[in-house]
mmCIF file of all heavy atoms in Angstrom:
data_model
loop_
_atom_site.group_PDB
_atom_site.id
_atom_site.type_symbol
_atom_site.label_atom_id
_atom_site.label_comp_id
_atom_site.label_asym_id
_atom_site.label_seq_id
_atom_site.Cartn_x
_atom_site.Cartn_y
_atom_site.Cartn_z
ATOM 1 N N PHE A 56 32.909 90.450 162.161
ATOM 2 C CA PHE A 56 32.945 89.584 160.992
ATOM 3 C C PHE A 56 33.426 88.176 161.364
ATOM 4 O O PHE A 56 34.477 88.027 162.000
ATOM 5 C CB PHE A 56 33.907 90.131 159.938
ATOM 6 C CG PHE A 56 33.462 91.381 159.232
ATOM 7 C CD1 PHE A 56 33.605 92.606 159.842
ATOM 8 C CD2 PHE A 56 32.937 91.313 157.946
ATOM 9 C CE1 PHE A 56 33.219 93.772 159.185
ATOM 10 C CE2 PHE A 56 32.556 92.469 157.287
ATOM 11 C CZ PHE A 56 32.700 93.705 157.901
ATOM 12 N N GLY A 60 34.023 81.154 155.237
ATOM 13 C CA GLY A 60 32.738 81.148 154.550
ATOM 14 C C GLY A 60 32.088 82.516 154.472
ATOM 15 O O GLY A 60 31.182 82.716 153.677
ATOM 16 N N THR A 61 32.556 83.442 155.299
ATOM 17 C CA THR A 61 32.007 84.793 155.286
ATOM 18 C C THR A 61 32.943 85.720 154.519
ATOM 19 O O THR A 61 32.579 86.287 153.484
ATOM 20 C CB THR A 61 31.805 85.315 156.725
ATOM 21 O OG1 THR A 61 30.916 84.439 157.414
ATOM 22 C CG2 THR A 61 31.212 86.714 156.712
ATOM 23 N N ILE A 62 34.162 85.860 155.011
ATOM 24 C CA ILE A 62 35.177 86.629 154.288
ATOM 25 C C ILE A 62 35.914 85.726 153.311
ATOM 26 O O ILE A 62 36.250 86.138 152.205
ATOM 27 C CB ILE A 62 36.155 87.293 155.268
ATOM 28 C CG1 ILE A 62 35.437 88.380 156.080
ATOM 29 C CG2 ILE A 62 37.349 87.905 154.526
ATOM 30 C CD1 ILE A 62 36.306 89.075 157.101
ATOM 31 N N SER A 63 36.150 84.489 153.717
ATOM 32 C CA SER A 63 36.824 83.531 152.832
ATOM 33 C C SER A 63 35.787 82.708 152.083
ATOM 34 O O SER A 63 34.619 82.639 152.477
ATOM 35 C CB SER A 63 37.752 82.607 153.632
ATOM 36 O OG SER A 63 36.987 81.661 154.359
ATOM 37 N N THR A 64 36.240 82.040 151.043
ATOM 38 C CA THR A 64 35.337 81.227 150.228
ATOM 39 C C THR A 64 35.264 79.799 150.720
ATOM 40 O O THR A 64 34.422 79.022 150.245
ATOM 41 C CB THR A 64 35.813 81.217 148.759
ATOM 42 O OG1 THR A 64 37.162 80.705 148.715
ATOM 43 C CG2 THR A 64 35.772 82.608 148.152
ATOM 44 N N LEU A 137 41.736 83.181 148.622
ATOM 45 C CA LEU A 137 40.542 82.645 149.278
ATOM 46 C C LEU A 137 39.557 83.738 149.691
ATOM 47 O O LEU A 137 38.473 83.429 150.186
ATOM 48 C CB LEU A 137 40.941 81.849 150.537
ATOM 49 C CG LEU A 137 41.943 80.714 150.365
ATOM 50 C CD1 LEU A 137 42.210 80.058 151.714
ATOM 51 C CD2 LEU A 137 41.457 79.693 149.349
ATOM 52 N N LEU A 138 39.903 85.001 149.487
ATOM 53 C CA LEU A 138 39.119 86.100 150.032
ATOM 54 C C LEU A 138 38.035 86.585 149.066
ATOM 55 O O LEU A 138 38.241 86.621 147.858
ATOM 56 C CB LEU A 138 40.058 87.254 150.396
ATOM 57 C CG LEU A 138 41.182 86.903 151.375
ATOM 58 C CD1 LEU A 138 42.094 88.101 151.584
ATOM 59 C CD2 LEU A 138 40.619 86.399 152.697
ATOM 60 N N ARG A 139 36.915 86.980 149.629
ATOM 61 C CA ARG A 139 35.790 87.496 148.841
ATOM 62 C C ARG A 139 35.930 89.028 148.718
ATOM 63 O O ARG A 139 35.873 89.744 149.726
ATOM 64 C CB ARG A 139 34.456 87.177 149.527
ATOM 65 C CG ARG A 139 34.166 85.685 149.683
ATOM 66 C CD ARG A 139 32.832 85.500 150.353
ATOM 67 N NE ARG A 139 32.544 84.119 150.677
ATOM 68 C CZ ARG A 139 31.950 83.250 149.855
ATOM 69 N NH1 ARG A 139 31.572 83.649 148.633
ATOM 70 N NH2 ARG A 139 31.708 82.012 150.236
ATOM 71 N N PRO A 140 36.073 89.553 147.496
ATOM 72 C CA PRO A 140 36.253 91.002 147.316
ATOM 73 C C PRO A 140 35.130 91.832 147.905
ATOM 74 O O PRO A 140 35.355 92.903 148.458
ATOM 75 C CB PRO A 140 36.332 91.153 145.786
ATOM 76 C CG PRO A 140 36.777 89.805 145.297
ATOM 77 C CD PRO A 140 36.166 88.814 146.233
ATOM 78 N N GLU A 141 33.886 91.343 147.803
ATOM 79 C CA GLU A 141 32.756 92.141 148.294
ATOM 80 C C GLU A 141 32.783 92.280 149.814
ATOM 81 O O GLU A 141 32.330 93.290 150.356
ATOM 82 C CB GLU A 141 31.422 91.548 147.827
ATOM 83 C CG GLU A 141 30.969 90.282 148.545
ATOM 84 C CD GLU A 141 31.580 89.002 147.980
ATOM 85 O OE1 GLU A 141 32.526 89.097 147.186
ATOM 86 O OE2 GLU A 141 31.086 87.927 148.356
ATOM 87 N N MET A 142 33.338 91.281 150.513
ATOM 88 C CA MET A 142 33.412 91.375 151.965
ATOM 89 C C MET A 142 34.564 92.271 152.397
ATOM 90 O O MET A 142 34.479 92.973 153.423
ATOM 91 C CB MET A 142 33.536 89.996 152.593
ATOM 92 C CG MET A 142 32.323 89.111 152.337
ATOM 93 S SD MET A 142 30.737 89.903 152.734
ATOM 94 C CE MET A 142 30.890 90.119 154.512
ATOM 95 N N LEU A 143 35.636 92.273 151.631
ATOM 96 C CA LEU A 143 36.727 93.206 151.908
ATOM 97 C C LEU A 143 36.247 94.644 151.687
ATOM 98 O O LEU A 143 36.626 95.560 152.432
ATOM 99 C CB LEU A 143 37.932 92.896 151.025
ATOM 100 C CG LEU A 143 38.604 91.538 151.263
ATOM 101 C CD1 LEU A 143 39.771 91.357 150.300
ATOM 102 C CD2 LEU A 143 39.069 91.395 152.707
ATOM 103 N N ALA A 144 35.412 94.822 150.670
ATOM 104 C CA ALA A 144 34.848 96.145 150.419
ATOM 105 C C ALA A 144 33.932 96.561 151.576
ATOM 106 O O ALA A 144 33.909 97.724 151.989
ATOM 107 C CB ALA A 144 34.065 96.141 149.103
ATOM 108 N N ARG A 145 33.156 95.611 152.102
ATOM 109 C CA ARG A 145 32.279 95.933 153.233
ATOM 110 C C ARG A 145 33.108 96.309 154.468
ATOM 111 O O ARG A 145 32.759 97.225 155.218
ATOM 112 C CB ARG A 145 31.361 94.744 153.525
ATOM 113 C CG ARG A 145 30.448 94.899 154.746
ATOM 114 C CD ARG A 145 29.621 96.173 154.695
ATOM 115 N NE ARG A 145 28.789 96.283 153.544
ATOM 116 C CZ ARG A 145 27.489 96.013 153.512
ATOM 117 N NH1 ARG A 145 26.887 95.620 154.623
ATOM 118 N NH2 ARG A 145 26.792 96.162 152.408
ATOM 119 N N LEU A 146 34.204 95.603 154.681
ATOM 120 C CA LEU A 146 35.104 95.937 155.792
ATOM 121 C C LEU A 146 35.633 97.363 155.649
ATOM 122 O O LEU A 146 35.600 98.150 156.607
ATOM 123 C CB LEU A 146 36.277 94.944 155.807
ATOM 124 C CG LEU A 146 37.481 95.315 156.698
ATOM 125 C CD1 LEU A 146 37.083 95.353 158.155
ATOM 126 C CD2 LEU A 146 38.618 94.333 156.458
ATOM 127 N N ARG A 147 36.069 97.714 154.440
ATOM 128 C CA ARG A 147 36.578 99.070 154.196
ATOM 129 C C ARG A 147 35.485 100.111 154.412
ATOM 130 O O ARG A 147 35.740 101.209 154.910
ATOM 131 C CB ARG A 147 37.156 99.169 152.779
ATOM 132 C CG ARG A 147 38.464 98.406 152.590
ATOM 133 C CD ARG A 147 39.112 98.768 151.270
ATOM 134 N NE ARG A 147 38.312 98.358 150.133
ATOM 135 C CZ ARG A 147 38.438 97.175 149.529
ATOM 136 N NH1 ARG A 147 39.330 96.294 149.961
ATOM 137 N NH2 ARG A 147 37.680 96.871 148.479
ATOM 138 N N GLN A 148 34.271 99.769 154.050
ATOM 139 C CA GLN A 148 33.157 100.697 154.216
ATOM 140 C C GLN A 148 32.932 101.010 155.696
ATOM 141 O O GLN A 148 32.752 102.174 156.075
ATOM 142 C CB GLN A 148 31.882 100.106 153.595
ATOM 143 C CG GLN A 148 30.709 101.067 153.562
ATOM 144 C CD GLN A 148 29.506 100.465 152.857
ATOM 145 O OE1 GLN A 148 29.501 99.300 152.483
ATOM 146 N NE2 GLN A 148 28.468 101.271 152.680
ATOM 147 N N HIS A 149 32.944 99.992 156.528
ATOM 148 C CA HIS A 149 32.789 100.216 157.966
ATOM 149 C C HIS A 149 33.937 101.062 158.521
ATOM 150 O O HIS A 149 33.722 101.972 159.323
ATOM 151 C CB HIS A 149 32.723 98.885 158.710
ATOM 152 C CG HIS A 149 31.376 98.242 158.698
ATOM 153 N ND1 HIS A 149 30.311 98.748 159.423
ATOM 154 C CD2 HIS A 149 30.911 97.144 158.060
ATOM 155 C CE1 HIS A 149 29.245 97.974 159.223
ATOM 156 N NE2 HIS A 149 29.574 96.996 158.395
ATOM 157 N N TYR A 225 28.339 89.812 160.645
ATOM 158 C CA TYR A 225 28.369 89.125 159.356
ATOM 159 C C TYR A 225 28.833 87.686 159.578
ATOM 160 O O TYR A 225 29.891 87.448 160.168
ATOM 161 C CB TYR A 225 29.330 89.827 158.389
ATOM 162 C CG TYR A 225 28.955 91.263 158.105
ATOM 163 C CD1 TYR A 225 29.447 92.292 158.912
ATOM 164 C CD2 TYR A 225 28.099 91.568 157.054
ATOM 165 C CE1 TYR A 225 29.083 93.603 158.671
ATOM 166 C CE2 TYR A 225 27.741 92.893 156.810
ATOM 167 C CZ TYR A 225 28.235 93.900 157.618
ATOM 168 O OH TYR A 225 27.873 95.201 157.381
ATOM 169 N N TRP A 242 23.710 89.756 159.116
ATOM 170 C CA TRP A 242 23.608 89.142 157.792
ATOM 171 C C TRP A 242 24.275 87.779 157.832
ATOM 172 O O TRP A 242 25.433 87.660 158.255
ATOM 173 C CB TRP A 242 24.277 90.028 156.734
ATOM 174 C CG TRP A 242 24.318 89.407 155.366
ATOM 175 C CD1 TRP A 242 23.289 89.349 154.457
ATOM 176 C CD2 TRP A 242 25.421 88.727 154.756
ATOM 177 N NE1 TRP A 242 23.697 88.693 153.315
ATOM 178 C CE2 TRP A 242 25.005 88.298 153.468
ATOM 179 C CE3 TRP A 242 26.721 88.444 155.181
ATOM 180 C CZ2 TRP A 242 25.850 87.602 152.600
ATOM 181 C CZ3 TRP A 242 27.569 87.752 154.314
ATOM 182 C CH2 TRP A 242 27.128 87.339 153.034
ATOM 183 N N ARG A 244 25.186 84.559 155.339
ATOM 184 C CA ARG A 244 25.271 84.198 153.921
ATOM 185 C C ARG A 244 24.218 83.144 153.572
ATOM 186 O O ARG A 244 24.031 82.174 154.295
ATOM 187 C CB ARG A 244 26.671 83.676 153.604
ATOM 188 C CG ARG A 244 26.888 83.384 152.127
ATOM 189 C CD ARG A 244 28.348 83.076 151.834
ATOM 190 N NE ARG A 244 29.215 84.203 152.147
ATOM 191 C CZ ARG A 244 29.366 85.278 151.363
ATOM 192 N NH1 ARG A 244 28.712 85.339 150.204
ATOM 193 N NH2 ARG A 244 30.154 86.262 151.730
ATOM 194 N N LEU A 249 23.192 91.189 151.005
ATOM 195 C CA LEU A 249 23.987 91.950 151.958
ATOM 196 C C LEU A 249 23.314 93.284 152.235
ATOM 197 O O LEU A 249 23.023 94.057 151.329
ATOM 198 C CB LEU A 249 25.386 92.178 151.374
ATOM 199 C CG LEU A 249 26.493 92.604 152.331
ATOM 200 C CD1 LEU A 249 26.727 91.548 153.400
ATOM 201 C CD2 LEU A 249 27.776 92.860 151.549
#
Side-chain angles (χ1 to χ4, degrees):
F56 290 79
T61 301
I62 293 178
S63 74
T64 58
L137 305 180
L138 304 176
R139 298 180 187 272
E141 74 276 12
M142 296 310 295
L143 295 179
R145 176 53 58 100
L146 167 64
R147 289 192 295 269
Q148 187 176 6
H149 278 289
Y225 300 90
W242 175 80
R244 185 171 298 281
L249 197 61

